[in-house]
Amino acid sequence: MNNPSPLRGGGRRTVALALTATLAVSAGIALAAPASAADRTTPLALSVFAAARGADTQPTAEGRKVGDLIIDDGRLYAGYGDYGANTGPIDLYSYDLGTAAPTRHLTVPTEDIDVITRVGDALYAPEIDPRGGWDTNVGFASNRSGAWANEGVAPMVHVFDVASTDGVDLFLAGSSNDAATGQAYAAIWYSPDGVSDWQLIQRRSVGTGDLSRYYWMEAVDGKLYTSAVLGDVLGPLERWDAQGWTTLQDDSSAFWAYQADQVQSIGHDIVSYGWGARVRVYDTRTGQSVTPVYDIAPGGYRLRDVYKAESGALYTLSGNGEIYRSADGRSWTRYATVDASAAYSLAVDEATGTVYLGSDAAILRASTVTATPTPTPTATPTATPTPTATPTPTPTPTPTPTATPTPTPTATPTATPTPTPTPTATPTATPTPTATPTPTATPTPTASPTPPVGGGADYTATYHAGPAWGGAYTAELTVTAPASGAELDWVVSWRDADATGIINAWGTTCDVADGIVTCTAAGYGADAFRWGTSATVGVQVATRGAAPQAPTLTVGDAAPPAVEPTPGPGAGAYTAAYRTATAWPGAYTAELTVTAAQAGSPLAWQVSWADPTALAVTGSWGTTCAVAAGVVTCTADGYGRDNLQWGTAVTVGVQISTIGSAPQHPVLTTG
């Protein structure tokens, strides 16, 4: 299929909203930094949350970028793909916020899932570049019926956005093909019940080529707002209601957008984002722009992503790693700062304050912001409860001057040595929803530090194994500095005879030589480091073997100790568990959790079960499966083989077409 956004500058997430109108500057957006703004300029310590399944097997660099994130019902959904290189179809995955366990929902017949949007209580993933022909009914994947399913509803070339004005009807924005001329045009399709009777209700065209598209729609007060991009010309802002279409004649028509989430509604306003990280607000009640262009992140940085939380609050991620929040689109507060090299897409769990980031290397990361800042300029997140935190030391028996800070009935000013209940807000007490909290909650994560030789005397470090898959693994290092020293610098190394190179690193610079992985302070792992504090950094290592789980670390310039060879395994045994993940008429998906119960050789497995109604295998991940004579057989393959180690387990999956129903508790045979 054709590239759906040929005019986008830079990456897929680069916002290209050329706001051409001349606007008055008398009503500027209030950029209200909190009182502790300095705390929010230090990059958060990020932990690896999960490997982005599907993206990690994409054949192109663009395909491995996590292009969109959204949180729904305790799960994090991630979009990816490369419409330029046509790397679809795309498997849609989500991740449990508490355990990071992945679930594959379905295969979407598109080259890219670029946007996952919430409409009412359901999620929609538009087919922005469908794999079918131009006159084939296409649409979206959605969980609106409870289970995820693909719905082909209208003959469209591209579907960029989905919207509803009343919670029942449904609109699709994109482009369709004129069969008589072979030319594509910008198209809006509409269904009054969201299911049937689909109608083409608006079309616009540049006249040649297929560069006429509607990229976005927003529903406000029962009306639909949109504008088309017609080649290199922007169409007017349009409004649809029960009376039909109205063209709005004012400067609000300058809504350049090549992606649905570049324009968002909040209350009665429509908020758009332009070159750099510029914001403008259009008031639908007055039909006027109420603010001028304002840079959230000055300095020429472009906006990478915009996230709308379930509360309606907006979060923006810019190219310098700054995250801003707004509850109304008109006043913005810096929420956090992250390492820009690790951040390509954004989602925020407001219930826990956890920031989730998708990278351009198929990695999902997370960190917790200490407290959700208020969007008012007077917010003071200082830990001191009152300006008279230190009461007068006179032992006057009357409790009046110190009644508030002193919790005891006596007026002794030393009853509480320090009336500040939380000198530090322990910002990383629950840094991520993963089962293992970030070790930065304690200042010295290692019980017995090893004195190093150079490269940061008296530093300590701990190692945490992250996601691993065939040919690569990720790991986190938490490095703790002593109370004082001559230089803020560190070197950490460990032996890994199977390591072949460094794929990526964040907060550190790493290399592999002679079977030793060495990481040194760099980026926020150096700049954000302070005496007596910790920094968590990470690395992705290419390997021809398994990921080390608890290697011996050497902090300093000395070589790591030699590793004793491990005897090879003998004959072994496997166990397996089965779970039906999803099912719909004609097909189902199942997950297998295979455990290597004891040492054995070779490290391989096979699981089978009877299903007399199974027809064929239509997809699998981490395994190779086949159906023969009413038996489904799955064998180790890909990460289901490479990730399995003795005494551990791996979860793989399969999709099967059937003329019956999905088995719920089949008897498994392992071998």
Side-chain angles (χ1 to χ4, degrees):
M1 298 292 291
N2 291 333
N3 184 333
S5 303
L7 302 182
R8 296 187 201 181
R12 200 166 28 132
R13 279 278 155 187
T14 299
V15 174
L17 303 173
L19 305 178
T20 58
T22 301
L23 304 172
V25 297
S26 58
I29 295 178
L31 183 59
S36 59
D39 295 337
R40 304 193 184 278
T41 60
T42 301
L44 297 174
L46 300 175
S47 300
V48 174
F49 176 66
R53 296 289 179 88
D56 58 0
T57 59
Q58 283 277 298
T60 67
E62 184 70 21
R64 289 188 288 274
K65 294 178 180 178
V66 180
D68 197 33
L69 295 173
I70 190 169
I71 295 171
D72 184 73
D73 196 23
R75 303 195 67 84
L76 176 70
Y77 291 80
Y80 63 94
D82 186 348
Y83 52 69
N86 291 340
T87 60
I90 302 299
D91 290 337
L92 177 63
Y93 284 89
S94 70
Y95 306 82
D96 185 279
L97 294 184
T99 66
T103 295
R104 178 189 172 279
H105 298 282
L106 79 171
T107 300
V108 186
T110 180
E111 308 295 356
D112 189 357
I113 296 179
D114 203 41
V115 170
I116 305 173
T117 186
R118 182 180 293 106
V119 179
D121 295 328
L123 297 183
Y124 292 78
E127 298 176 19
I128 73 163
D129 196 14
R131 289 173 62 83
W134 279 21
D135 299 314
T136 303
N137 276 3
V138 299
F140 47 81
S142 177
N143 63 353
R144 62 177 177 171
S145 63
W148 278 90
N150 294 310
E151 300 187 42
V153 297
M156 301 182 70
V157 179
H158 302 295
V159 184
F160 293 106
D161 202 7
V162 183
S164 176
T165 60
D166 59 10
V168 177
D169 60 19
L170 210 61
F171 297 80
L172 301 184
S175 63
S176 290
N177 179 49
D178 188 327
T181 64
Q183 299 295 327
Y185 54 85
I188 301 287
W189 288 79
Y190 162 73
S191 168
D193 62 5
V195 178
S196 59
D197 191 24
W198 284 91
Q199 311 162 31
L200 177 66
I201 61 171
Q202 184 67 311
R203 61 179 289 174
R204 288 183 178 271
S205 176
V206 71
T208 59
D210 72 320
L211 300 183
S212 299
R213 290 97 180 262
Y214 284 100
Y215 287 104
W216 66 273
M217 299 178 293
E218 286 297 323
V220 180
D221 297 330
K223 300 178 177 63
L224 188 78
Y225 294 81
T226 186
S227 64
V229 174
L230 309 173
D232 58 356
V233 177
L234 179 68
L237 183 67
E238 303 171 78
R239 183 184 66 218
W240 182 92
D241 55 24
Q243 284 70 47
W245 287 96
T246 300
T247 299
L248 303 176
Q249 301 292 339
D250 74 296
D251 61 10
S252 63
S253 63
F255 280 88
W256 279 101
Y258 291 109
Q259 200 161 315
D261 61 1
Q262 294 172 5
V263 182
Q264 300 277 2
S265 61
I266 184 167
H268 301 284
D269 295 336
I270 298 175
V271 183
S272 68
Y273 311 87
W275 289 104
R278 299 185 297 179
V279 175
R280 70 175 296 181
V281 177
Y282 173 78
D283 191 329
T284 61
R285 295 167 298 184
T286 63
Q288 299 292 326
S289 295
V290 296
T291 63
V293 174
Y294 190 92
D295 281 337
I296 289 182
Y301 292 99
R302 293 184 178 182
L303 208 66
R304 290 184 176 175
D305 198 12
V306 180
Y307 182 72
K308 186 173 184 178
E310 289 191 72
S311 68
L314 300 177
Y315 295 82
T316 62
L317 169 67
S318 63
N320 63 352
E322 292 182 349
I323 299 174
Y324 278 84
R325 181 185 187 275
S326 177
D328 59 6
R330 305 191 187 193
S331 59
W332 293 82
T333 300
R334 179 158 36 211
Y335 184 74
T337 302
V338 298
D339 178 15
S341 66
Y344 190 69
S345 53
L346 167 73
V348 179
D349 183 359
E350 294 186 319
T352 62
T354 303
V355 174
Y356 294 91
L357 301 169
S359 78
D360 59 0
I363 296 292
L364 302 174
R365 298 183 177 89
S367 186
T368 299
V369 176
T370 308
T372 304
T374 67
T376 61
T378 58
T380 57
T382 175
T384 304
T386 68
T388 59
T390 305
T392 176
T394 58
T396 305
T398 174
T400 303
T402 58
T404 299
T406 306
T408 63
T410 65
T412 303
T414 59
T416 56
T418 304
T420 56
T422 55
T424 59
T426 58
T428 56
T430 55
T432 73
T434 57
T436 304
T438 178
T440 55
T442 60
T444 56
T446 54
S448 55
T450 302
V453 180
D458 299 328
Y459 285 77
T460 59
T462 55
Y463 174 102
H464 304 274
W469 55 97
Y473 67 89
T474 61
E476 286 184 346
L477 299 173
T478 298
V479 184
T480 301
S484 62
E487 58 178 354
L488 275 169
D489 197 6
W490 53 264
V491 179
V492 177
S493 57
W494 65 94
R495 286 194 179 274
D496 182 356
D498 293 323
T500 59
I502 301 299
I503 301 173
N504 194 13
W506 44 101
T508 179
T509 298
C510 303
D511 60 35
V512 175
D514 300 325
I516 298 174
V517 182
T518 302
C519 295
T520 58
Y524 70 84
D527 301 337
F529 218 20
R530 299 293 183 270
W531 296 116
T533 65
S534 297
T536 298
V537 301
V539 60
Q540 182 178 346
V541 182
T543 180
R544 55 177 175 266
Q549 296 302 303
T552 300
L553 300 183
T554 296
V555 184
D557 297 331
V563 178
E564 293 296 326
T566 302
Y574 295 85
T575 60
Y578 171 100
R579 184 181 76 88
T580 300
T582 57
W584 60 95
Y588 68 91
T589 62
E591 288 184 350
L592 298 173
T593 299
V594 181
T595 302
Q598 69 183 58
S601 179
L603 196 61
W605 54 264
Q606 177 177 293
V607 178
S608 59
W609 65 94
D611 183 357
T613 62
L615 297 176
V617 173
T618 57
S620 62
W621 43 104
T623 178
T624 297
C625 303
V627 175
V631 175
V632 181
T633 302
C634 295
T635 57
D637 192 18
Y639 71 83
R641 176 195 61 228
D642 302 333
N643 265 18
L644 193 59
Q645 301 173 36
W646 298 115
T648 66
V650 66
T651 298
V652 300
V654 60
Q655 179 175 325
I656 298 173
S657 62
T658 179
I659 57 175
S661 58
Q664 297 303 308
H665 303 287
V667 177
L668 301 181
T669 300
T670 59

